[in-house]
């Protein structure tokens, strides 16, 4: 029986959340219902839209709401919406200037008789558009950004204040000191000096304002941005809850009935046959797929710093398991392309679109890394980098932009949800079409396990094969995690039609649905919903329709996350922490534009009929992120590099255990904190990436506690190997060799002149890693070794060891075009080095042949 909790009763309007038990009419674990009393509001007072009810309403009881602030949200919103409407009706810049100059706030600021601002503007020689941008800034209530007279006021959380009068005097003094010949600074007048940095800040401000005005044009530019900020802030205010609730319902519900269910979908771990078939669809469809990486986030929680310069670094630059996170993404992609080559004998280079930002020099650093690595030997033309705009952080009190100093608002990336509109604006969709792509997989850089086994391939395979518009890879959600949930939306619109679709609720929005988070919460409903992991399949034409819509739909899932303070350092070097946030969009909420409607209600099986879908797998095969830095005293490994490494090792344990290889158990996280991992196993993804493939390359043996295994070669055989110590196998040509293409760029040729390694009946015994060394950083794979057995394969070199014991410290380095064989002699090891026969130079003396048997991939070793 359902348990219903009344949230608010205002003017006979009842809003109810119903938490449905598993025996409800849906077979889902749980659901959340938001119902409007059928007689509380007349249908004529509401309107309906197809994507109405991913609600952004607040459900905080009135008695617990904060006291009303001095700032009048309703009055300011009314003024700005009127201004936005008039600007939208203006067809030229001149007309827009006339409208903006008629705003009372702009008039007061620019026409004040004691500030001489007309002289300031004339001295700046602004273009009409730049003048328009400054006036939009003032009209939005952000005059303080132009001034020097702000001060930081200390309270429980610091907030930023400013003086408009001082702003005027500062700008006047600045202009008066400009060299009349335009060659730089003039004399110091009035005791105010201006340096080159100030001019750079002013220029940067104009650039930032121009980007906001242009990118957010679909909601009204700078003015629309501020309206969206104030609307989201106002949702939790007493004013909007009590005196304007009906309006809030009209804007945020626009439907008669809303119910939220836990979605159902294919569980890859429980249906291996269909999972294998879906993965095959994904491999076959690889030439139709692109790859999208949203890398623009600031990743402040990682606290990543360049050890040489002390500069803050973006998440993509995190050194993880011996390489940056971005390199890890490309390795995973190349592993899927190598698998495609082995199955079909064709080269497939997937185009990769990367969304960057200016935060922490993100764009420049990622570009520099790609250039340093020669664009991963894929060709420059297979990458397209596009930079997302940064947006101002705002104070939670009244929506004022937070500033570090004059002309320098604190800016952060505006969330990964801007990616769809930005992709349209920057021609990304057309670029994908020019490469013959129909769909794309989307993955975040911090999730290091997203490509494990068949998760990504099955997701893309189902999306392509069934013509879906959007797909989610999901899993069980950890209670208290900073991650959202996937939900099935069911709603009845005002015309009486039923609408269904998969969507997401961000963790920052749980309180708006009356969902508490934490182990002691009375309502732990969110734990029953699966996690949103931001691993997506997207149909490119469908996404383009949303991104090009020139409406708010092109900026899906707009939220204002104020749960974390805005931290920054001012121009005096003083750190500040301000209660505030920034306007963000969430890319996964593009799903809200893919709702299906029907004339009647479904009671089960609706998911099969939707344009959206979800697949599930075990959590550590779907998501494990390196998002935050673990502090020394922190006992939690969740979303840390340490925690994600443990998940990689648990996956390796699961995989190799299926190969009849004995391994030590991985104990609790607490054990890791006290003594490190029980082993280190890092396998190149091209050994699979499907576990079904990898299992045919490994068979029998053991890996003792404290051992290390690193295999960086795709053509590999392990048969009855017993490892007690460190075994490291490296190859120059892991998946193939490099040729120079017609553009003079290096290009990886899959399967051509690969390095190869075979181990049969081998014991590897050495001291291995020094586990007592205090500076070991396991997640970086930065460890001190006492001894190791290392095989280094140059070019197309081959290494074979059969029926031998490799004891102690060894380095076997094999030159290009040679094969090294290790056997056991009467007095020790016998090492034989022979040249590879000329007719085997490209293919090698042996190779794995892949073939499809039903829904499975079968490997057979071919020896020449």
């Amino acid at each position: 029986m359902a348990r219903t909790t009344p949230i608010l009763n205002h003017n006979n309007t009842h809003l109810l959340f119903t938490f449905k038990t598993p025996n409800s009419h849906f077979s889902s674990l749980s659901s959340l219902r938001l119902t409007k009393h059928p007689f509380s509001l007349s249908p004529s007072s509401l309107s309906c839209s197809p994507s109405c009810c991913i609600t952004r309403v607040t459900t905080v009881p009135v008695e617990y709401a904060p006291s009303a602030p001095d700032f009048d949200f309703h009055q300011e919103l009314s003024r700005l919406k009127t201004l936005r409407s008039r600007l939208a009706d203006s067809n030229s810049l001149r007309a827009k200037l006339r409208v903006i100059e008629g705003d009372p706030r702009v008039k007061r600021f620019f026409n004040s008789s004691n500030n001489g601002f007309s002289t300031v503007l004339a001295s700046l020689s602004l273009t009409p558009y730049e003048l328009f941008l400054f006036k939009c800034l003032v009209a939005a209530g952000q005059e303080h950004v132009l001034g020097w007279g702000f001060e930081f006021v200390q309270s429980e959380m610091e907030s930023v204040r400013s003086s408009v009068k001082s702003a005027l005097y500062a700008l006047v003094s600045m202009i008066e000191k400009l060299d009349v010949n335009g060659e730089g600074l003039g004399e110091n007048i009035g005791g105010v000096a201006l340096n080159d940095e100030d001019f750079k800040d002013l220029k940067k401000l104009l650039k930032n304002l121009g980007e906001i005005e242009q990118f957010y044009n679909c909601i009204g530019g700078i003015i629309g941005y501020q309206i969206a900020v104030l609307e989201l802030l106002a949702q939790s205010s007493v004013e909007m809850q009590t005196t304007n609730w009906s309006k809030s319902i009209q804007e945020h519900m626009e439907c008669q009935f809303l119910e939220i269910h836990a979605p159902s979908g294919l569980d890859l771990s429980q249906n291996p046959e269909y999972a294998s078939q879906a993965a095959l669809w994904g491999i076959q469809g690889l030439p139709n797929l692109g790859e999208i990486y949203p890398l623009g986030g600031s990743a402040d929680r990682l606290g990543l710093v360049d050890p040489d310069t002390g500069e803050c670094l973006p998440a993509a630059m995190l050194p993880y398991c011996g390489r940056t996170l971005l390199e890890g993404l490309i390795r995973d992609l190349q592993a899927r392309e190598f698998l495609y080559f082995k199955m079909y004998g064709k080269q497939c280079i997937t185009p990769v679109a990367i969304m960057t930002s200016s935060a922490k020099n993100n764009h420049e650093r990622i570009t520099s890394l790609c250039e340093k690595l020669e664009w991963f030997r894929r060709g420059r033309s297979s990458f397209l980098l596009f930079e997302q705009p940064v947006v101002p952080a705002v104070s939670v009190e009244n929506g004022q932009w937070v500033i570090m100093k004059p002309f320098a608002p604190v800016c952060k990336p505006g969330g990964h949800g801007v990616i769809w509109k930005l992709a349209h604006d920057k021609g990304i969709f057309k670029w994908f079409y020019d490469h013959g792509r129909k769909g794309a997989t989307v993955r975040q850089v911090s999730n290091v396990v997203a490509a494990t086994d068949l998760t990504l391939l099955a997701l893309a395979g189902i999306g392509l094969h069934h013509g879906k518009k959007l797909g989610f890879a999901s899993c069980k959600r950890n209670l208290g995690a900073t991650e959202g949930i996937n939900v099935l939306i069911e709603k009845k619109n005002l015309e009486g039609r039923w609408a269904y679709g998969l969507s997401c609720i961000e963790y920052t929005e749980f309180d708006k649905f009356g969902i508490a988070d934490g182990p002691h919460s009375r309502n732990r409903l969110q734990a029953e919903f699966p996690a949103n992991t931001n691993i997506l399949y997207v149909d490119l034409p469908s996404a383009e329709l949303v991104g090009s819509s020139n409406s708010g739909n092109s900026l899906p899932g707009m939220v204002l996350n104020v749960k974390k303070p805005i931290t920054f350092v001012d121009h005096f070097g003083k750190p500040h922490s301000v209660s505030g946030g920034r306007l963000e969009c969430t890319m996964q909420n593009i799903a809200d534009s893919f709702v299906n409607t029907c004339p009647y209600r479904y009671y089960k099986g609706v998911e099969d009929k939707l344009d959206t879908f979800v697949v599930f797998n075990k959590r550590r095969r779907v998501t494990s992120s390196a998002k935050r830095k673990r502090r020394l005293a922190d006992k939690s490994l969740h979303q840390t590099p340490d925690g994600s490494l443990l998940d990689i090792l648990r996956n390796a344990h699961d995989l190799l255990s299926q190969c009849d290889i004995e391994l030590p158990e991985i104990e609790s996280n607490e054990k890791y904190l006290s003594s490190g991992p029980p082993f280190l196993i890092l396998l190149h993804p091209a050994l699979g990436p499907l576990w079904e493939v990898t299992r045919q390359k490994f068979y029998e043996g053991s890996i003792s506690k404290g051992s290390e295994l690193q295999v960086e070669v795709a053509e590999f055989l392990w048969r009855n190997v017993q490892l007690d110590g460190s075994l490291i196998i490296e190859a120059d040509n892991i998946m193939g060799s490099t040729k120079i293409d017609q553009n003079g760029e290096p290009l990886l040729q899959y399967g051509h002149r690969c390095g190869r390694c075979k181990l049969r009946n081998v014991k590897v015994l050495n001291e291995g890693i020094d586990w007592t060394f205090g500076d070991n950083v396991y997640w970086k794979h930065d460890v001190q070794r006492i001894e190791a057995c290392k095989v280094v394969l140059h070019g197309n070199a081959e290494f074979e060891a059969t029926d031998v014991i490799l004891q102690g410290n060894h380095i076997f380095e094999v030159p290009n075009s040679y094969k090294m064989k290790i056997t056991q002699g009467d007095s020790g090891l016998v090492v034989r080095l022979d040249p590879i026969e000329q007719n085997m130079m490209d293919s090698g003396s042996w190779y794995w042949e892949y073939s499809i048997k039903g829904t499975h991939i079968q490997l057979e070793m071919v020896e020449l």
Side-chain angles (χ1 to χ4, degrees), residues 16-29:
L16 304 178
F17 277 118
T18 302
F19 302 97
K20 300 185 72 64
T21 56
N23 62 354
S24 62
H25 65 266
F26 267 78
S27 60
S28 54
L29 289 173

Side-chain angles (χ1 to χ4, degrees), residues 539-557:
D539 175 69
L540 291 172
S542 299
E544 185 181 23
L545 283 175
V546 177
S548 63
S549 63
N550 197 30
S551 69
N553 289 339
S554 64
L555 300 171

Side-chain angles (χ1 to χ4, degrees), residues 531-600:
N532 171 58
T533 66
N534 285 335
I535 303 171
L536 307 174
Y537 163 80
V538 63
D539 175 69
L540 291 172
S542 299
E544 185 181 23
L545 283 175
V546 177
S548 63
S549 63
N550 197 30
S551 69
N553 289 339
S554 64
L555 300 171
M558 203 173 287
V559 296
L560 191 68
N561 182 3
V562 295
K563 294 202 170 197
K564 300 168 189 169
I566 300 296
T567 58
F568 63 96
V569 177
D570 66 22
H571 58 311
F572 297 114
K574 183 180 178 182
H576 295 271
S577 183
V578 179
S579 180
R582 67 187 184 275
L583 192 65
E584 296 183 74
C585 306
T586 51
M587 64 180 178
Q588 65 273 16
N589 281 97
I590 192 177
D592 300 343
S593 295
F594 301 142
V595 174
N596 296 88
T597 60
C598 55
Y600 46 82

Side-chain angles (χ1 to χ4, degrees), residues 331 369 627 704 769 785:
R331 274 163 58 98
L369 177 63
K627 283 187 176 181
S704 300
I769 292 174
R785 297 180 185 89

